[in-house]
Amino acid sequence: MKTNKIKSSLIVAKKLIPFIATKTEDELSSELVARFELYPENTRRPVNKILFRNDYFQLTYSMKKKDLVISSRGDIVYSAIPYDTARNYIQRATIQYLLHPEEVREYIKMHKGNLEKYIMLSIFQATKKRVDKNSFEVKQAYNAIFQNPLFEIQILGRLLQHDETGPISANLAGKFLFSENVNTGISEYIFEYHNFVVQLTKSLPITTDGKSVKLLETNLLKRSLANNRNKDKFLTYKSDIKPALSLVPQAEKVNTENPIIIAKQSLNLNDKPILRSRSGKEISEVRKNYIPHSVHPKESEKYFENVLSTENTNLLNVVSDVHTIDGNLPFINRNFNILVGDISDSRATNGDIKGIYVIGNHELVDVLPDNNNIDELQGKKWSLFWNSKWFKQLLENPDESWHMLPVGNHRFYEVVKVELEKRFPQLNVLHNNHIVHEGIRYIGLTIPVALVKRKDEQQKFILKSLKELLNNDYDIPTIIVSHAPLFNELSMLSIKSKAYNKDYNLSEPKIEKLFKEYNIIGAIHGHHHIPASSGQSKIVKFASKELFVVCSIYSKMNTGFELMNLINPKLTN
């Protein structure tokens, strides 16, 4: 019985709790090393050391990155649906279900209209039958969501993905119809993941939100969890999860006569969850021959309703890459906003929003005269640039002009700044300038794109600008804001991303020297459209100290990142 398995996982072995409450970070690191001895294979693992594991998952500590990661041990398959990209969302949903099962249900019900659309499309994909939202089939499928907690968790994960990245379109039947979903293996994966995180947090002072994993004792995390907004997202050994555990199915009987169905092909499995050691070859074949049939979210977005509030109350609200197309900002924040470029593709205006704004590459097109009005373009303001090859390309085909743009001290950007200030009169457009807000100095550098082939020229500009703007004031806490990241070392872009270029690294040592000498506490950028699910901030070691890096891409769910959560610990330290 799986209930017995869960109950047994809650029994905390004394030998697995070498530390619980008030250790310092230095003491913790030494105790982590002591735990390595529990797993003999760690002697053969120079980098990723095992700290805790069960049959399917493990917690490892990277000796290089100094961070913790929960990962599959390699055999369990998350989903038999080809290219299912929602694993991180569903793991986040698992944690939220453990912490707040009733709130999860309310969140799902709030999306009823959107779920009905998904179910209608799912029924069509599975049967080629068209039904309306009031049909018996749709009502039955909608009610089925709340009959099985493991399926309910999946639906929450899909809705988190929907709200963050836009409507889903591929393989809908397996995602939204319980009758089809039972053949995907996802419920079994969730059960084992859920089982592991319960064991883990009851055995070690670990906190997780389904993606990041931290030691509970770190001062930064303590302060972060003190903020109610964050505390409710993380599972720890103190979390009350009894209400959620009581709802998990008491037994999952394995029906060996009902094979896993993948794209109309069957895998005859003897047990669940799906294991690569049993079915990896068949799954690989299906995925190799899979023809994607998804629709771009931008095309299907008009059929779905935004049910989330567009207003947030962040004190320091970081947003980038909004790309609004209707002339309005699609979010509301009445406090201090940090807009990190590419805000508008429709000449948006707003007389109320306050804060700072740095120039992105899309602003360069957005401020140009409507329909490239020739008379206006030949006026005094724009005629200065008319003969420049990059400007002609910007007018004709912007996407082919980005690599040609002038480095950020060019007078063209002064014109862009003036135009933006007309549209956003209460924002400070920081074109290689700075302001001080509530004791923090914000330096805004104009870096619309990552000029990799002209990196030396760009880094000379960065060095010169920082020297002038830091202005020998070594003590004031300072944050550097730019649309494209300064360089790889202070970028949220993953090395695994197709957009990553190793040559965009820092090659000017004098810049690092400035970071060492001055009280620079972090950097903010946008540009790369990094999904919020990948994380909106990280702590990096640079110039012999720890700095935060933030990249907060706008989405319907993510209307901004609260920078105050990162600034407060820095100021305290």
Side-chain angles (χ1 to χ4, degrees), residues 80 147 326 351 446 508 569:
Q147 305 306 310
D326 66 359
T446 298
E508 174 50 78

Side-chain angles (χ1 to χ4, degrees), residues 295-437:
V295 178
H296 195 282
K298 290 287 185 185
E299 295 179 28
S300 54
E301 209 165 56
K302 58 187 175 183
Y303 300 109
F304 292 85
E305 178 189 1
N306 179 21
V307 300
L308 301 176
S309 172
T310 58
E311 182 169 4
N312 71 57
T313 57
N314 293 341
L315 297 177
L316 296 173
N317 189 49
V318 182
V319 178
S320 76
D321 300 84
V322 174
H323 294 283
T324 181
I325 57 173
D326 66 359
N328 300 302
L329 294 184
F331 68 94
I332 300 170
N333 180 285
R334 304 181 194 280
N335 298 315
F336 191 83
N337 292 269
I338 302 169
L339 304 187
V340 198
D342 283 11
I343 301 303
S344 170
D345 286 328
S346 56
R347 298 173 176 81
T349 61
N350 189 297
D352 298 322
I353 189 167
K354 302 178 181 68
I356 62 175
Y357 191 158
V358 296
I359 299 170
N361 51 308
H362 279 246
E363 273 76 20
L364 310 184
V365 179
D366 201 48
V367 300
L368 294 174
D370 195 19
N371 297 320
N372 286 343
N373 185 298
I374 297 297
D375 291 337
E376 191 173 345
L377 279 170
Q378 290 179 339
K380 184 177 179 181
K381 181 165 50 180
W382 304 105
S383 62
L384 296 171
F385 320 112
W386 189 255
N387 293 323
S388 301
K389 186 176 179 181
W390 61 265
F391 188 69
K392 290 178 180 178
Q393 192 66 54
L394 189 68
L395 293 173
E396 294 170 9
N397 188 347
D399 287 340
E400 296 299 321
S401 73
W402 305 137
H403 70 284
M404 303 165 64
L405 292 177
V407 169
N409 57 2
H410 195 277
R411 55 188 175 179
F412 172 67
Y413 301 120
E414 292 287 349
V415 178
V416 176
K417 174 180 184 292
V418 171
E419 293 301 306
L420 291 175
E421 288 172 336
K422 293 176 184 176
R423 296 179 185 176
F424 302 95
Q426 297 200 62
L427 284 175
N428 288 281
V429 180
L430 296 184
H431 164 50
N432 308 322
N433 205 345
H434 78 280
I435 68 164
V436 176
H437 174 72

